[in-house]
Amino acid sequence: MTPTSRLLSRVLVAGVLAAGALGATGLVASPASAASADSSTEPVSAEDAELQAAVVAAEDRRITEIRTVTSLARWRGDNWKTPYRLGTEGGYTLVLTPRSTPYTVEDLLQLAPQTFLKLSDGSFFLTEHLVVMPRATLNLGEPGGLNLRLASSHDGFATILSFGGELIIGGEAGSEVAITSWDLAAGEPDATTLDGRAYVRAIGGQFEATYANLSNLGFWS
């Protein structure tokens, strides 16, 4: 993928995907190629590299924490059948637990009424992290198309992570799904990656995108 938006049509990827952001493995939509802005081709300074690497390390710690909490719950015999929210280093994370039917936009509106908002222009705005666990499926698609904006600014960013689960970005011809970072105060996508930026990532599991336009997402290398 390039840093610019790209239309994905009928793409199915299974397993762990290598994609250039947030460490060694995973999928990140529209990652920056070690540059601080989408349109920049200038080399990254040592100071800027250190800043972005620190954010990557913080994200890895957050993901490890989620994995540890889930493993401990299973070891203790806890049966968390319903989605739950964790307060982690990088902000709150809504964990989507296994169930037989996919989670949808309507489910997110009910599960996260304060952090998954429908704006007046019809777009949706996510302000916390989402994690899709094994045997869970998140289907991001709406009749007529979906415009999803992930909060992203110097104050922090939101992410969508499939951690062994299934992530489907299900658009159709003429009804595409658009996902981008969004700086609400500036009223535009986040073009700065030095302090991290919203991203979509799959670690294991399955990732499927059909008629999806992903732009201004990801950071570092």
Side-chain angles (χ1 to χ4, degrees):
M1 277 187 189
T2 64
T4 57
S5 62
R6 174 173 292 180
L7 185 67
L8 302 179
S9 175
R10 302 187 183 283
V11 177
L12 174 62
V13 185
V16 179
L17 303 179
L22 291 182
T25 60
L27 174 98
V28 177
S30 301
S33 57
S36 63
D38 284 348
S39 60
S40 174
T41 57
E42 297 180 0
V44 176
S45 68
E47 181 180 0
D48 291 347
E50 185 175 351
L51 288 173
Q52 293 193 64
V55 181
V56 169
E59 279 296 283
D60 286 341
R61 289 193 298 271
R62 180 178 66 86
I63 295 169
T64 298
E65 182 178 351
I66 294 169
R67 186 176 185 178
T68 300
V69 169
T70 302
S71 297
L72 287 174
R74 291 175 180 172
W75 181 76
R76 292 196 307 262
D78 295 342
N79 188 12
W80 290 355
K81 292 184 177 180
T82 58
Y84 57 90
R85 185 171 279 103
L86 293 175
T88 52
E89 179 181 354
Y92 284 101
T93 298
L94 176 62
V95 181
L96 302 181
T97 52
R99 75 178 197 184
S100 58
T101 57
Y103 293 93
T104 65
V105 169
E106 293 303 317
D107 289 315
L108 295 180
L109 287 171
Q110 295 181 20
L111 292 169
Q114 295 180 324
T115 56
F116 187 76
L117 310 173
K118 187 170 185 178
L119 304 181
S120 58
D121 62 359
S123 65
F124 292 87
F125 187 56
L126 176 67
T127 63
E128 71 175 338
H129 304 291
L130 294 181
V131 171
V132 186
M133 298 302 290
R135 302 189 308 282
T137 299
L138 174 60
N139 189 346
L140 294 174
E142 281 279 272
L146 173 68
N147 183 6
L148 176 58
R149 297 168 175 175
L150 308 184
S152 188
S153 68
H154 65 275
D155 294 323
F157 53 87
T159 67
I160 299 175
L161 169 66
S162 173
F163 195 69
E166 183 175 6
L167 176 59
I168 300 173
I169 303 176
E172 299 177 352
S175 301
E176 291 79 14
V177 174
I179 303 179
T180 188
S181 61
W182 194 256
D183 185 332
L184 189 62
E188 60 185 16
D190 187 0
T192 301
T193 60
L194 296 181
D195 51 3
R197 185 166 63 172
Y199 65 84
V200 177
R201 183 183 184 188
I203 303 176
Q206 293 181 316
F207 174 88
E208 179 180 347
T210 306
Y211 293 102
N213 190 348
L214 311 180
S215 62
N216 295 286
L217 298 167
F219 64 98
W220 197 214
S221 62

